Amino acid sequence: MLLPSLPSALAYGGDYNPEQWPESVWPEDARLMREAGVNLVSVGIFAWSRIQPTPKTWDFAWLDRVMDLLHAHGVRVCLATATASPPAWLARLHPDSLPVTADGVTLHIGSRQQFSPSSPDYRRHATALVRRLAKRYARHPALAAWHVGNEFACHMNECHGPHSTRAFRVWLKTKYKTLAALNAAWGTAFWSQLYGDWEEIHTPRRAPYASNPAQQLDFKRFTHEAFFDLYKLERTLLKAAAPDVPVTTNLMGFFKPLDYHAWAREMDFAAWDSYPDPALPDEGRHWAAVGHDLTRSLKPGLPFILMESATSAVNWRAFNRPKPAGLMRLQSLQAVARGADGVMFFQWRASLSGAEKFHSAMVAHVDPERSRIHSQVRALGAELRRLAPVVGSVVHARVAIVMDWAAWWALELEARPTKLDYMATLHAVHRAFYAQNHAVDFVHPEADLSRYVLVVAPVLYLLTPAGAANLSAFAQNGGTLVATYATGIVDADERVVPGGYPGLLRDTFGVWVEEWVPLDDRFANSFRLLGKGGAKLACREWSEFVHVEDAEVLATFTADLTAGGPALTRRRVGSGRALYLAAGLDVPGWDALASFLAAEAGVSPVLAVPTEVEVSERVSADGTRHLFVLNHRHKPVSVPLGARRGVDLLTGRPAARTLTLGPLGAAVVALPPAGQSDKKPGR
Ligand code: GAL
């Protein structure tokens, strides 16, 4: 259970910023919340300067009244630690607490997040604030969870100021102990970069040409840890005051600067903010799905919370399209379908001032009784209440995609053989399985893989011996392992593993690669899948000269420098198999390959449905299956359920044998545990 104080309800609500409003508005907020079915709000995220207007004055009285009012209306609070945006006085007293870019530009006050993660003064003041907040509200009956900071590193994701430089040196000394070890790991013999004194070492500031890649990679690790330390510092203070209250922070899906695998281990539940672009409906629905899947995977076996989303338009894209009627509902149900136990928005009431006043909210700038958005907000609240049986249920994926932040950081450093986009590649692989309604998790290379039958490792450029051994063992033990080009190229120090790519996985795949052949519009290539009528797959971005040592060739390149060479290989490994893909693919190519791989591994989707219909299954502890069927089309669709007989939770009635879903429609069907007879409910 994510929230002990909301044991049997999906969480519903949003960011609530009462400090922006006269107190006379608060009672109306609380009443409207109750009427809309809101049961959780995030309070105080940007309220530091209101709580502590000067370094020596504190004002909690207003927050006490907000907490009491919400409690009286049955609304629980995810209480923020307010550290996301320090007050102006911090910069006045400690100008060196401001962050500095790689070009040496200081980022000033007047917006948000203007602090260096390594500033001792920021830490000191944040500690004092969190201590007081934790002590004051630890036992408040409205408190459901703590919300640490806000979207850590969202706008300011590295700092090159004096405190960061000093802290980077300390971090390096801890890691390498001696300069000799650092020089060896960074390969500083190259371009006369040898260091003779720790003071010579800086963060990778703007330089005349490509900076040392190992230095850059270490700086990314250091920066990730600097933010993570701040989170852990706050988490420890909160746990000391309230050991049983869950602690979380709002993650941002595929957010490069922070290794969320590490963060999730220190969070009681995962939460993320999702803003798919309504102007790009197809990309948008996949963008949200892939983010839900990542967030869910960060805490295996546990639901997550969608901590922020938009009821309609955002204000921060160049072109901000509102959502058509029904889309907000469908996207909210999509989050629940993929494992969310809560749907929240930014924000409750649309601001009248400030940089986000044109962002949609649950209460717009108009009378809620006549508001198009607010009527949808109320309807959604009522529907989420009917989905209470889903609380705590989980998605069981049999397919996993390997995802590693260090590999991402390293793949996209300067001075690559050709520019590759880690996230775009992972999204392309995921999209193909998603379109075919296979549940997919994202896993760390060293994670327990025993629950999967198919594991795909795309462009896993940096790989540790432990990661390589884990992936090989998965195949040995009967799994179907797939790796793509640009995998296993370097070790943790960004040093090439010599002897042919994919380095430590050469023996597993029985191939080695000597040279790459990037592709673009001028240099086309393709390959055909083996077997009668095997699909022809167009290659994108990448191809390779593959030498086969001990593998079966499943497809060969048709053109260009690699013509006739292996494009896809397979090797029996223990009781499983290992397939190596030596090329990038376009969308139809990934679709075809995903079908081929699913057949190879023996996985099938939970239900066969027309295209643009999304299906996801959540299973409760008692085995009840909750089948979410979501129609992303703007026209009606029929979905036969086959022999399955269940109850449609949204209507409360037995589900028809064939579901008829209107445009952007959805059904959630509760089915008896697998294996039990599909009798009509109630008989
Ligand atoms: C999020 C942020 C919120 C708000 C929102 C607007 O990234 O956490 O505070 O700015 O975006 O979409």
Side-chain angles (χ1 to χ4, degrees), residues 108-296:
H108 291 282
I109 63 158
S111 178
R112 62 176 172 184
Q113 239 179 58
Q114 71 290 351
F115 60 88
S116 161
S118 302
S119 156
D121 295 305
Y122 170 81
R123 273 179 92 98
R124 186 164 50 81
H125 285 287
T127 301
L129 169 63
V130 176
R131 261 210 186 100
R132 280 183 193 238
L133 265 168
K135 185 160 174 236
R136 192 170 190 102
Y137 298 108
R139 270 169 292 284
H140 195 287
L143 180 69
W146 298 107
H147 181 297
V148 178
N150 188 67
E151 293 191 341
F152 272 86
C154 170
H155 310 294
M156 177 276 301
N157 45 46
E158 60 180 43
C159 173
H160 299 259
H163 295 300
S164 297
T165 305
R166 258 193 300 279
F168 186 42
R169 288 181 192 141
V170 171
W171 186 90
L172 291 170
K173 275 185 201 165
T174 310
K175 177 170 179 180
Y176 292 110
K177 314 282 186 293
T178 65
L179 272 178
L182 178 141
N183 279 315
W186 285 12
T188 52
F190 181 78
W191 282 351
S192 179
Q193 291 173 357
L194 272 176
Y195 291 104
D197 191 306
W198 292 99
E199 296 297 305
E200 291 163 4
I201 301 175
H202 288 267
T203 62
R205 299 176 300 186
R206 173 84 73 205
Y209 183 46
S211 291
N212 182 304
Q215 175 195 15
Q216 292 188 62
L217 185 58
D218 268 345
F219 183 62
K220 290 194 186 303
R221 292 183 174 118
F222 157 79
T223 299
H224 148 79
E225 280 183 31
F227 285 106
F228 191 27
D229 279 351
L230 290 180
Y231 168 81
K232 286 188 286 187
L233 170 76
E234 294 196 24
R235 193 272 324 264
T236 305
L237 297 169
L238 297 168
K239 283 289 179 196
D244 299 329
V245 178
V247 177
T248 194
T249 184
N250 44 347
L251 308 178
M252 289 167 281
F254 287 83
F255 180 66
K256 190 175 168 186
L258 304 182
D259 176 354
Y260 286 158
H261 284 306
W263 283 64
R265 285 194 282 275
E266 306 295 332
M267 295 165 64
D268 289 311
F269 62 86
W272 87 294
D273 301 344
S274 171
Y275 292 97
D277 187 351
L280 303 168
D282 290 342
E283 285 90 331
R285 80 175 168 99
H286 176 246
W287 188 90
V290 73
H292 296 319
D293 287 359
L294 173 68
T295 310
R296 182 192 67 237

Side-chain angles (χ1 to χ4, degrees), residues 45-110:
I45 295 177
F46 297 105
W48 190 346
S49 67
R50 183 76 165 76
I51 293 170
Q52 194 184 6
T54 73
K56 295 219 159 57
T57 44
W58 297 87
D59 180 4
F60 286 105
W62 68 275
L63 188 51
D64 293 349
R65 293 197 293 279
V66 170
M67 296 289 285
D68 294 348
L69 178 74
L70 292 171
H71 178 61
H73 284 76
V75 179
R76 308 262 173 221
V77 175
C78 182
L79 187 58
T81 56
T83 51
S85 205
W89 53 254
L90 186 77
R92 176 171 55 82
L93 297 178
H94 309 288
D96 56 355
S97 68
L98 293 168
V100 178
T101 68
D103 292 302
V105 175
T106 300
L107 303 179
H108 291 282
I109 63 158

Side-chain angles (χ1 to χ4, degrees), residues 3 6-12 39 341-342 384-385 387-388 391:
L3 298 168
L6 280 178
S8 51
L10 294 172
Y12 184 48
N39 56 17
D341 265 7
L384 292 178
R385 271 203 299 271
L387 292 185
V391 172

